[in-house]
Amino acid sequence: MSVQQEALADGAELEVWIDQDLCTGDGICVQYAPEVFELDIDGLAYVKSRDDELLQAKGATTPVPLPLLTDVVDSAKECPGDCIHVRRVSDRVEVYGPDAE
């Protein structure tokens, strides 16, 4: 079973973060999941808090709401900068993104 399948099977809580050093500013993530991602004035994508606040601190994470999981995963898969990382909260293992097993 893949890490992705394990994460989904056990209902693991997931979080997402963006590496702005690799972000190309294409905005694909915002198109897929505007509730989770937003482009800032600098042209780069950031995650948003549950309260819709833009999180600009380096490495800032936000929970992945289960209803938006597919959209967030598609964002990670389609991102031209390979900068979106989705990981389990419990052990910080990346399950989707450039460092996923």
Side-chain angles (χ1 to χ4, degrees), residues 18-64:
I18 296 177
D19 183 343
Q20 279 76 29
D21 291 338
L22 299 176
C23 181
T24 59
D26 285 272
I28 291 171
C29 56
V30 177
Q31 292 175 5
Y32 276 106
E35 303 88 348
V36 177
F37 305 107
E38 184 176 324
L39 290 176
D40 197 16
I41 194 166
D42 63 5
L44 302 178
Y46 294 85
V47 295
K48 299 192 297 186
S49 72
R50 292 181 187 187
D51 299 327
D52 207 35
E53 176 187 347
L54 195 65
L55 302 176
Q56 295 175 301
K58 187 172 181 85
T61 64
T62 197
V64 177

Side-chain angles (χ1 to χ4, degrees), residues 3 43 48 73 85 93:
V3 174
K48 299 192 297 186
V73 169
H85 303 265
V93 169

